[in-house]
Amino acid sequence: MRPPKDFFKPLAVGAPAPVHEIPVKPSRMIHFFPPSNTKMVSKVPDIAPTVDILLGNLEDGVPSDQKEAARAGLVEVGKTVDMGDTQLWTRINSLDSPWALDDLTTLVSEIGAKLDVIMIPKVEGPEDIHYADRLVAQLEAKAGLTRPLLFHAILETARGVSNVEDICGASPRMQGISLGPADLAANRGMKTTRVGGGHPDYVVQGDPPVADDGSVDIHAERTRYQQDLWHYTIARMVDACVTHGILPFYGPFGDIADTVACEAQFRNAYLLGCVGAWSLHPKQITVAKKVFSPRPEDVAQAQRVIDAMGDGTGAIMLDGKMEDDASVKQCHVVVELAKSLSARDPELAASYGF
Ligand code: GLV
Ligand code: MG
Protein backbone atom coordinates (compact mmCIF):
# COMPACT_ATOMS: atom_id res chain seq x y z
CA MET A 1 0.00 0.00 0.00
CA ARG A 2 1.22 3.50 -0.81
CA PRO A 3 1.58 5.49 2.42
CA PRO A 4 -0.73 8.53 2.62
CA LYS A 5 2.21 10.94 2.53
CA ASP A 6 3.27 9.59 -0.88
CA PHE A 7 -0.18 9.67 -2.44
CA PHE A 8 0.31 13.13 -3.95
CA LYS A 9 3.86 12.60 -5.16
CA PRO A 10 4.29 12.42 -8.96
CA LEU A 11 4.68 8.83 -10.18
CA ALA A 12 7.54 9.74 -12.51
CA VAL A 13 10.46 12.13 -12.21
CA GLY A 14 9.45 15.35 -13.98
CA ALA A 15 5.73 14.60 -14.10
CA PRO A 16 3.39 17.35 -12.85
CA ALA A 17 2.22 17.18 -9.23
CA PRO A 18 -1.20 15.51 -8.83
CA VAL A 19 -4.17 17.74 -8.01
CA HIS A 20 -5.61 17.70 -4.48
CA GLU A 21 -9.11 18.65 -5.61
CA ILE A 22 -11.03 17.97 -8.82
CA PRO A 23 -11.61 21.30 -10.59
CA VAL A 24 -15.33 22.11 -10.50
CA LYS A 25 -16.40 22.97 -14.04
CA PRO A 26 -19.81 22.79 -15.75
CA SER A 27 -20.12 19.14 -16.80
CA ARG A 28 -23.76 18.66 -17.78
CA MET A 29 -23.04 16.72 -20.93
CA ILE A 30 -20.10 14.73 -22.27
CA HIS A 31 -20.74 15.01 -26.00
CA PHE A 32 -19.29 12.11 -27.97
CA PHE A 33 -17.93 12.51 -31.50
CA PRO A 34 -16.11 9.98 -33.71
CA PRO A 35 -12.79 11.58 -34.75
CA SER A 36 -12.42 9.10 -37.64
CA ASN A 37 -15.38 10.75 -39.38
CA THR A 38 -14.07 13.80 -41.25
CA LYS A 39 -17.57 15.27 -41.63
CA MET A 40 -18.08 15.15 -37.85
CA VAL A 41 -14.60 16.55 -37.24
CA SER A 42 -15.40 19.53 -39.49
CA LYS A 43 -18.38 20.31 -37.23
CA VAL A 44 -16.31 20.33 -34.01
CA PRO A 45 -15.65 24.13 -34.00
CA ASP A 46 -19.42 24.74 -34.16
CA ILE A 47 -20.38 22.09 -31.61
CA ALA A 48 -17.65 22.85 -29.04
CA PRO A 49 -19.15 26.13 -27.74
CA THR A 50 -22.57 24.46 -27.28
CA VAL A 51 -21.38 21.74 -24.88
CA ASP A 52 -19.61 21.57 -21.53
CA ILE A 53 -17.39 18.63 -22.53
CA LEU A 54 -16.47 17.36 -25.98
CA LEU A 55 -15.12 13.81 -26.12
CA GLY A 56 -13.26 12.22 -29.01
CA ASN A 57 -14.29 8.57 -28.88
CA LEU A 58 -11.71 5.97 -29.84
CA GLU A 59 -13.40 2.90 -28.32
CA ASP A 60 -16.67 1.07 -29.02
CA GLY A 61 -18.55 2.49 -31.98
CA VAL A 62 -15.31 3.01 -33.92
CA PRO A 63 -14.71 0.06 -36.30
CA SER A 64 -11.41 -1.74 -35.72
CA ASP A 65 -10.08 -0.70 -39.14
CA GLN A 66 -10.64 2.98 -38.24
CA LYS A 67 -8.93 3.02 -34.83
CA GLU A 68 -5.76 4.65 -36.14
CA ALA A 69 -7.74 7.19 -38.18
CA ALA A 70 -9.78 8.09 -35.09
CA ARG A 71 -6.64 8.62 -33.02
CA ALA A 72 -5.09 10.78 -35.76
CA GLY A 73 -8.35 12.72 -36.16
CA LEU A 74 -8.40 13.54 -32.46
CA VAL A 75 -4.77 14.68 -32.55
CA GLU A 76 -5.73 16.99 -35.42
CA VAL A 77 -8.68 18.40 -33.44
CA GLY A 78 -6.47 18.91 -30.38
CA LYS A 79 -3.85 20.73 -32.43
CA THR A 80 -6.13 22.91 -34.55
CA VAL A 81 -9.42 23.66 -32.78
CA ASP A 82 -9.69 26.42 -30.19
CA MET A 83 -11.88 24.82 -27.53
CA GLY A 84 -12.48 28.05 -25.58
CA ASP A 85 -13.58 27.01 -22.10
CA THR A 86 -15.08 23.71 -23.30
CA GLN A 87 -13.25 20.69 -21.90
CA LEU A 88 -11.67 18.24 -24.36
CA TRP A 89 -11.76 14.61 -23.29
CA THR A 90 -11.05 11.31 -24.97
CA ARG A 91 -12.30 7.78 -24.44
CA ILE A 92 -9.37 5.48 -25.15
CA ASN A 93 -9.69 1.79 -26.02
CA SER A 94 -9.85 -0.66 -23.13
CA LEU A 95 -6.56 -1.50 -21.44
CA ASP A 96 -6.60 -5.10 -22.72
CA SER A 97 -7.09 -4.03 -26.35
CA PRO A 98 -4.34 -3.81 -29.00
CA TRP A 99 -4.84 -0.01 -29.22
CA ALA A 100 -4.75 1.33 -25.64
CA LEU A 101 -0.98 1.68 -25.38
CA ASP A 102 -0.71 3.67 -28.62
CA ASP A 103 -3.80 5.71 -27.67
CA LEU A 104 -2.16 6.85 -24.44
CA THR A 105 1.32 7.31 -25.92
CA THR A 106 0.14 9.32 -28.91
CA LEU A 107 -2.46 11.46 -27.17
CA VAL A 108 -0.38 12.40 -24.13
CA SER A 109 2.69 13.12 -26.28
CA GLU A 110 0.92 15.03 -29.06
CA ILE A 111 -1.98 16.84 -27.40
CA GLY A 112 -1.52 16.24 -23.66
CA ALA A 113 -1.64 19.96 -22.93
CA LYS A 114 -5.01 20.30 -24.72
CA LEU A 115 -6.68 17.29 -23.10
CA ASP A 116 -8.43 17.57 -19.75
CA VAL A 117 -9.59 14.04 -19.00
CA ILE A 118 -8.92 10.52 -20.29
CA MET A 119 -11.94 8.26 -20.03
CA ILE A 120 -10.90 4.65 -19.43
CA PRO A 121 -13.51 2.03 -20.33
CA LYS A 122 -14.16 -1.36 -18.69
CA VAL A 123 -12.23 -0.56 -15.53
CA GLU A 124 -12.45 -3.60 -13.27
CA GLY A 125 -10.47 -2.58 -10.23
CA PRO A 126 -7.86 -0.16 -8.83
CA GLU A 127 -5.07 -2.11 -10.57
CA ASP A 128 -6.29 -0.78 -13.94
CA ILE A 129 -6.04 2.79 -12.69
CA HIS A 130 -2.62 2.15 -11.13
CA TYR A 131 -1.31 0.83 -14.46
CA ALA A 132 -2.52 3.85 -16.43
CA ASP A 133 -1.47 6.23 -13.64
CA ARG A 134 2.24 5.35 -13.79
CA LEU A 135 2.30 5.11 -17.57
CA VAL A 136 0.66 8.53 -18.02
CA ALA A 137 3.07 10.05 -15.46
CA GLN A 138 6.01 8.80 -17.54
CA LEU A 139 4.46 10.17 -20.72
CA GLU A 140 3.64 13.51 -19.08
CA ALA A 141 7.24 13.83 -17.91
CA LYS A 142 8.54 13.03 -21.38
CA ALA A 143 6.17 15.54 -22.99
CA GLY A 144 7.06 18.23 -20.43
CA LEU A 145 3.46 18.71 -19.36
CA THR A 146 2.86 21.03 -16.43
CA ARG A 147 -0.77 20.11 -15.67
CA PRO A 148 -1.68 16.51 -14.80
CA LEU A 149 -4.22 14.68 -16.93
CA LEU A 150 -7.24 13.37 -15.05
CA PHE A 151 -8.95 9.98 -15.36
CA HIS A 152 -12.61 9.09 -15.69
CA ALA A 153 -13.60 5.41 -15.41
CA ILE A 154 -16.63 3.76 -16.96
CA LEU A 155 -18.49 1.41 -14.64
CA GLU A 156 -19.44 -1.35 -16.99
CA THR A 157 -18.58 -4.72 -15.50
CA ALA A 158 -19.90 -6.50 -12.43
CA ARG A 159 -16.37 -6.60 -11.03
CA GLY A 160 -16.04 -2.86 -11.60
CA VAL A 161 -19.24 -2.26 -9.64
CA SER A 162 -18.01 -4.52 -6.83
CA ASN A 163 -14.77 -2.50 -6.70
CA VAL A 164 -16.21 0.95 -7.33
CA GLU A 165 -15.02 2.50 -4.05
CA ASP A 166 -11.45 1.29 -4.62
CA ILE A 167 -11.52 2.53 -8.23
CA CYS A 168 -12.62 6.00 -7.11
CA GLY A 169 -9.80 6.16 -4.56
CA ALA A 170 -7.08 4.59 -6.73
CA SER A 171 -5.36 7.84 -7.78
CA PRO A 172 -5.57 11.61 -7.30
CA ARG A 173 -6.14 11.66 -11.08
CA MET A 174 -9.62 10.16 -10.64
CA GLN A 175 -12.06 12.87 -11.79
CA GLY A 176 -15.27 10.86 -12.04
CA ILE A 177 -17.16 7.77 -13.08
CA SER A 178 -19.84 7.15 -15.71
CA LEU A 179 -22.38 4.37 -15.73
CA GLY A 180 -21.92 2.20 -18.85
CA PRO A 181 -25.29 0.46 -19.02
CA ALA A 182 -24.76 -1.41 -22.29
CA ASP A 183 -21.54 -3.22 -21.40
CA LEU A 184 -22.69 -3.61 -17.81
CA ALA A 185 -25.95 -5.27 -18.89
CA ALA A 186 -24.02 -7.69 -21.10
CA ASN A 187 -21.41 -8.46 -18.46
CA ARG A 188 -23.97 -9.04 -15.75
CA GLY A 189 -26.18 -11.20 -17.95
CA MET A 190 -29.09 -8.76 -17.71
CA LYS A 191 -31.67 -9.61 -20.36
CA THR A 192 -32.14 -6.19 -21.90
CA THR A 193 -30.94 -5.35 -25.40
CA ARG A 194 -31.36 -1.58 -24.93
CA VAL A 195 -28.58 0.96 -24.35
CA GLY A 196 -29.58 2.42 -20.98
CA GLY A 197 -33.02 3.56 -19.95
CA GLY A 198 -35.92 1.57 -18.57
CA HIS A 199 -37.55 -1.67 -19.63
CA PRO A 200 -41.31 -2.27 -19.77
CA ASP A 201 -40.91 -5.71 -18.16
CA TYR A 202 -39.07 -4.43 -15.09
CA VAL A 203 -42.12 -3.69 -13.01
CA VAL A 204 -43.84 -4.01 -9.69
CA GLN A 205 -47.36 -5.34 -10.17
CA GLY A 206 -50.23 -3.65 -8.29
CA ASP A 207 -52.58 -5.85 -6.21
CA PRO A 208 -55.48 -7.50 -8.07
CA PRO A 209 -58.95 -6.02 -7.51
CA VAL A 210 -61.02 -7.68 -4.77
CA ALA A 211 -64.73 -8.18 -5.58
CA ASP A 212 -67.52 -7.49 -3.03
CA ASP A 213 -67.71 -11.22 -2.26
CA GLY A 214 -64.00 -11.20 -1.41
CA SER A 215 -62.93 -13.06 -4.55
CA VAL A 216 -59.75 -11.98 -6.28
CA ASP A 217 -59.34 -11.86 -10.07
CA ILE A 218 -55.64 -12.13 -10.76
CA HIS A 219 -56.26 -11.66 -14.51
CA ALA A 220 -58.05 -8.31 -14.15
CA GLU A 221 -56.42 -5.15 -15.50
CA ARG A 222 -54.18 -3.72 -12.80
CA THR A 223 -51.58 -1.04 -12.41
CA ARG A 224 -47.98 -1.91 -13.25
CA TYR A 225 -45.28 0.35 -11.90
CA GLN A 226 -42.19 0.41 -14.09
CA GLN A 227 -39.00 0.53 -12.01
CA ASP A 228 -35.58 1.97 -12.81
CA LEU A 229 -33.19 -0.86 -13.78
CA TRP A 230 -30.20 1.37 -12.99
CA HIS A 231 -31.24 2.69 -9.60
CA TYR A 232 -29.00 0.46 -7.51
CA THR A 233 -25.90 0.98 -9.62
CA ILE A 234 -26.30 4.75 -9.91
CA ALA A 235 -26.90 5.14 -6.17
CA ARG A 236 -23.85 3.02 -5.39
CA MET A 237 -21.73 4.93 -7.90
CA VAL A 238 -22.83 8.29 -6.46
CA ASP A 239 -21.91 7.25 -2.90
CA ALA A 240 -18.51 5.98 -4.00
CA CYS A 241 -17.77 9.14 -6.02
CA VAL A 242 -18.87 11.58 -3.33
CA THR A 243 -16.89 9.66 -0.70
CA HIS A 244 -13.77 10.26 -2.79
CA GLY A 245 -14.56 13.82 -3.90
CA ILE A 246 -15.07 12.94 -7.56
CA LEU A 247 -18.02 13.35 -9.96
CA PRO A 248 -20.70 10.80 -10.95
CA PHE A 249 -22.30 10.76 -14.44
CA TYR A 250 -25.06 8.81 -16.15
CA GLY A 251 -23.77 7.31 -19.41
CA PRO A 252 -25.41 6.73 -22.81
CA PHE A 253 -29.10 6.62 -23.71
CA GLY A 254 -29.36 4.75 -27.00
CA ASP A 255 -32.89 5.61 -28.16
CA ILE A 256 -32.02 8.95 -29.73
CA ALA A 257 -35.57 9.59 -31.01
CA ASP A 258 -37.15 9.13 -27.56
CA THR A 259 -36.08 12.38 -25.95
CA VAL A 260 -38.91 12.07 -23.42
CA ALA A 261 -37.61 8.80 -21.95
CA CYS A 262 -34.06 10.13 -22.16
CA GLU A 263 -35.08 13.16 -20.13
CA ALA A 264 -36.74 10.93 -17.50
CA GLN A 265 -33.63 8.73 -17.19
CA PHE A 266 -31.29 11.73 -16.99
CA ARG A 267 -33.58 13.34 -14.40
CA ASN A 268 -33.47 10.27 -12.15
CA ALA A 269 -29.69 10.42 -12.30
CA TYR A 270 -29.69 14.18 -11.60
CA LEU A 271 -31.95 13.75 -8.59
CA LEU A 272 -29.74 10.97 -7.24
CA GLY A 273 -26.64 13.19 -7.43
CA CYS A 274 -25.15 12.84 -10.92
CA VAL A 275 -23.70 16.02 -12.44
CA GLY A 276 -24.19 15.12 -16.11
CA ALA A 277 -24.72 12.44 -18.75
CA TRP A 278 -23.39 11.50 -22.16
CA SER A 279 -24.91 13.00 -25.29
CA LEU A 280 -24.68 10.93 -28.44
CA HIS A 281 -26.65 13.31 -30.68
CA PRO A 282 -27.30 17.09 -30.68
CA LYS A 283 -30.88 16.37 -29.50
CA GLN A 284 -29.46 14.94 -26.29
CA ILE A 285 -27.32 18.05 -25.69
CA THR A 286 -30.56 19.99 -25.29
CA VAL A 287 -31.99 17.34 -22.97
CA ALA A 288 -28.89 17.23 -20.76
CA LYS A 289 -28.67 21.02 -20.59
CA LYS A 290 -32.28 21.18 -19.46
CA VAL A 291 -32.07 18.37 -16.91
CA PHE A 292 -28.69 19.09 -15.31
CA SER A 293 -29.30 22.83 -14.90
CA PRO A 294 -31.54 23.43 -11.87
CA ARG A 295 -34.94 24.90 -12.77
CA PRO A 296 -35.21 28.68 -12.12
CA GLU A 297 -38.17 28.11 -9.75
CA ASP A 298 -36.16 25.56 -7.75
CA VAL A 299 -33.23 27.99 -7.48
CA ALA A 300 -35.57 30.82 -6.39
CA GLN A 301 -37.17 28.60 -3.74
CA ALA A 302 -33.77 27.42 -2.48
CA GLN A 303 -32.59 31.03 -2.22
CA ARG A 304 -35.78 31.91 -0.29
CA VAL A 305 -35.05 29.20 2.26
CA ILE A 306 -31.41 30.31 2.57
CA ASP A 307 -32.49 33.93 3.13
CA ALA A 308 -35.15 32.92 5.67
CA MET A 309 -32.72 30.69 7.59
CA GLY A 310 -30.44 33.58 8.59
CA ASP A 311 -27.20 32.09 9.91
CA GLY A 312 -28.31 28.65 8.71
CA THR A 313 -29.01 27.15 12.13
CA GLY A 314 -32.23 26.35 13.96
CA ALA A 315 -35.65 25.50 12.58
CA ILE A 316 -38.32 27.65 10.90
CA MET A 317 -41.67 27.11 9.21
CA LEU A 318 -41.94 28.37 5.61
CA ASP A 319 -45.16 27.78 3.63
CA GLY A 320 -46.16 25.17 6.17
CA LYS A 321 -42.91 23.23 5.77
CA MET A 322 -40.15 22.72 8.32
CA GLU A 323 -36.72 24.00 7.29
CA ASP A 324 -33.60 23.51 9.37
CA ASP A 325 -29.79 23.24 9.27
CA ALA A 326 -30.01 20.15 7.04
CA SER A 327 -32.60 21.37 4.55
CA VAL A 328 -30.73 24.66 4.09
CA LYS A 329 -27.69 22.59 3.07
CA GLN A 330 -29.82 20.97 0.34
CA CYS A 331 -30.75 24.46 -0.82
CA HIS A 332 -27.09 25.50 -0.94
CA VAL A 333 -26.36 22.54 -3.26
CA VAL A 334 -28.94 23.83 -5.75
CA VAL A 335 -27.88 27.49 -5.55
CA GLU A 336 -24.16 26.69 -5.77
CA LEU A 337 -24.76 24.55 -8.86
CA ALA A 338 -26.83 27.33 -10.44
CA LYS A 339 -24.05 29.83 -9.74
CA SER A 340 -21.28 27.66 -11.15
CA LEU A 341 -23.26 26.93 -14.34
CA SER A 342 -24.18 30.61 -14.70
CA ALA A 343 -20.53 31.59 -14.82
CA ARG A 344 -20.35 29.86 -18.22
CA ASP A 345 -23.91 30.34 -19.48
CA PRO A 346 -25.20 33.96 -19.48
CA GLU A 347 -28.67 32.88 -20.70
CA LEU A 348 -28.99 30.58 -17.71
CA ALA A 349 -27.70 33.30 -15.38
CA ALA A 350 -30.42 35.64 -16.67
CA SER A 351 -33.09 32.97 -16.09
CA TYR A 352 -31.95 32.77 -12.45
CA GLY A 353 -31.85 36.55 -12.12
CA PHE A 354 -28.13 36.47 -11.19
C1 GLV B 1 -20.92 2.53 -22.51
O1 GLV B 1 -19.78 2.43 -22.84
C2 GLV B 1 -21.76 1.41 -22.26
O2 GLV B 1 -21.26 0.28 -22.42
O3 GLV B 1 -22.93 1.62 -21.92
MG1 MG C 1 -19.17 0.41 -22.99
mmCIF file of all heavy atoms in Angstrom, residues 59 91 154 156 180-184 195 252 278, ligand 1:
data_model
loop_
_atom_site.group_PDB
_atom_site.id
_atom_site.type_symbol
_atom_site.label_atom_id
_atom_site.label_comp_id
_atom_site.label_asym_id
_atom_site.label_seq_id
_atom_site.Cartn_x
_atom_site.Cartn_y
_atom_site.Cartn_z
ATOM 1 N N GLU A 59 -13.064 4.294 -28.676
ATOM 2 C CA GLU A 59 -13.403 2.905 -28.318
ATOM 3 C C GLU A 59 -14.610 2.378 -29.085
ATOM 4 O O GLU A 59 -14.715 2.579 -30.301
ATOM 5 C CB GLU A 59 -13.625 2.829 -26.789
ATOM 6 C CG GLU A 59 -13.508 1.417 -26.213
ATOM 7 C CD GLU A 59 -14.595 1.076 -25.199
ATOM 8 O OE1 GLU A 59 -15.547 1.850 -25.017
ATOM 9 O OE2 GLU A 59 -14.497 -0.005 -24.593
ATOM 10 N N ARG A 91 -12.103 9.129 -24.978
ATOM 11 C CA ARG A 91 -12.301 7.778 -24.441
ATOM 12 C C ARG A 91 -11.343 6.884 -25.212
ATOM 13 O O ARG A 91 -11.501 6.695 -26.423
ATOM 14 C CB ARG A 91 -13.747 7.303 -24.629
ATOM 15 C CG ARG A 91 -13.919 5.853 -24.159
ATOM 16 C CD ARG A 91 -15.366 5.417 -24.082
ATOM 17 N NE ARG A 91 -15.932 5.090 -25.378
ATOM 18 C CZ ARG A 91 -17.089 4.423 -25.542
ATOM 19 N NH1 ARG A 91 -17.801 4.039 -24.499
ATOM 20 N NH2 ARG A 91 -17.550 4.164 -26.745
ATOM 21 N N ILE A 154 -15.249 4.181 -16.677
ATOM 22 C CA ILE A 154 -16.634 3.756 -16.960
ATOM 23 C C ILE A 154 -16.906 2.503 -16.132
ATOM 24 O O ILE A 154 -16.096 1.573 -16.086
ATOM 25 C CB ILE A 154 -16.886 3.456 -18.445
ATOM 26 C CG1 ILE A 154 -16.284 4.539 -19.349
ATOM 27 C CG2 ILE A 154 -18.386 3.348 -18.711
ATOM 28 C CD1 ILE A 154 -16.525 4.290 -20.837
ATOM 29 N N GLU A 156 -18.705 -0.574 -16.005
ATOM 30 C CA GLU A 156 -19.445 -1.354 -16.994
ATOM 31 C C GLU A 156 -19.148 -2.847 -16.928
ATOM 32 O O GLU A 156 -19.353 -3.558 -17.905
ATOM 33 C CB GLU A 156 -19.239 -0.790 -18.406
ATOM 34 C CG GLU A 156 -17.824 -0.523 -18.830
ATOM 35 C CD GLU A 156 -17.751 0.188 -20.192
ATOM 36 O OE1 GLU A 156 -18.772 0.359 -20.868
ATOM 37 O OE2 GLU A 156 -16.630 0.547 -20.575
ATOM 38 N N GLY A 180 -21.918 2.730 -17.473
ATOM 39 C CA GLY A 180 -21.917 2.204 -18.846
ATOM 40 C C GLY A 180 -22.958 1.099 -18.948
ATOM 41 O O GLY A 180 -22.631 -0.090 -18.842
ATOM 42 N N PRO A 181 -24.213 1.453 -19.153
ATOM 43 C CA PRO A 181 -25.291 0.462 -19.020
ATOM 44 C C PRO A 181 -25.275 -0.648 -20.070
ATOM 45 O O PRO A 181 -25.758 -1.749 -19.791
ATOM 46 C CB PRO A 181 -26.575 1.306 -19.125
ATOM 47 C CG PRO A 181 -26.185 2.550 -19.848
ATOM 48 C CD PRO A 181 -24.743 2.800 -19.495
ATOM 49 N N ALA A 182 -24.715 -0.374 -21.250
ATOM 50 C CA ALA A 182 -24.756 -1.414 -22.293
ATOM 51 C C ALA A 182 -23.785 -2.537 -21.957
ATOM 52 O O ALA A 182 -24.170 -3.711 -21.853
ATOM 53 C CB ALA A 182 -24.442 -0.796 -23.652
ATOM 54 N N ASP A 183 -22.513 -2.179 -21.755
ATOM 55 C CA ASP A 183 -21.539 -3.218 -21.401
ATOM 56 C C ASP A 183 -21.883 -3.864 -20.070
ATOM 57 O O ASP A 183 -21.693 -5.074 -19.889
ATOM 58 C CB ASP A 183 -20.129 -2.614 -21.330
ATOM 59 C CG ASP A 183 -19.422 -2.692 -22.665
ATOM 60 O OD1 ASP A 183 -19.268 -3.804 -23.178
ATOM 61 O OD2 ASP A 183 -19.034 -1.642 -23.199
ATOM 62 N N LEU A 184 -22.383 -3.056 -19.134
ATOM 63 C CA LEU A 184 -22.690 -3.610 -17.815
ATOM 64 C C LEU A 184 -23.824 -4.642 -17.911
ATOM 65 O O LEU A 184 -23.753 -5.711 -17.294
ATOM 66 C CB LEU A 184 -23.064 -2.479 -16.841
ATOM 67 C CG LEU A 184 -23.350 -2.889 -15.402
ATOM 68 C CD1 LEU A 184 -22.208 -3.689 -14.790
ATOM 69 C CD2 LEU A 184 -23.642 -1.654 -14.535
ATOM 70 N N VAL A 195 -29.734 0.219 -24.899
ATOM 71 C CA VAL A 195 -28.584 0.957 -24.349
ATOM 72 C C VAL A 195 -29.133 1.955 -23.327
ATOM 73 O O VAL A 195 -29.606 3.031 -23.665
ATOM 74 C CB VAL A 195 -27.798 1.680 -25.464
ATOM 75 C CG1 VAL A 195 -26.692 2.542 -24.865
ATOM 76 C CG2 VAL A 195 -27.215 0.675 -26.448
ATOM 77 N N PRO A 252 -24.675 6.552 -21.551
ATOM 78 C CA PRO A 252 -25.407 6.732 -22.809
ATOM 79 C C PRO A 252 -26.878 6.336 -22.723
ATOM 80 O O PRO A 252 -27.250 5.437 -21.961
ATOM 81 C CB PRO A 252 -24.677 5.772 -23.749
ATOM 82 C CG PRO A 252 -24.209 4.666 -22.851
ATOM 83 C CD PRO A 252 -23.881 5.306 -21.526
ATOM 84 N N TRP A 278 -23.973 11.455 -20.822
ATOM 85 C CA TRP A 278 -23.392 11.502 -22.164
ATOM 86 C C TRP A 278 -24.444 12.004 -23.142
ATOM 87 O O TRP A 278 -25.637 11.720 -22.974
ATOM 88 C CB TRP A 278 -22.957 10.108 -22.626
ATOM 89 C CG TRP A 278 -21.915 9.442 -21.776
ATOM 90 C CD1 TRP A 278 -21.394 9.892 -20.589
ATOM 91 C CD2 TRP A 278 -21.273 8.197 -22.051
ATOM 92 N NE1 TRP A 278 -20.478 9.006 -20.109
ATOM 93 C CE2 TRP A 278 -20.387 7.952 -20.989
ATOM 94 C CE3 TRP A 278 -21.369 7.263 -23.082
ATOM 95 C CZ2 TRP A 278 -19.591 6.807 -20.936
ATOM 96 C CZ3 TRP A 278 -20.589 6.111 -23.041
ATOM 97 C CH2 TRP A 278 -19.696 5.899 -21.978
HETATM 98 C C1 GLV B 1 -20.921 2.525 -22.512
HETATM 99 O O1 GLV B 1 -19.780 2.435 -22.845
HETATM 100 C C2 GLV B 1 -21.765 1.415 -22.260
HETATM 101 O O2 GLV B 1 -21.263 0.283 -22.425
HETATM 102 O O3 GLV B 1 -22.930 1.617 -21.922
#
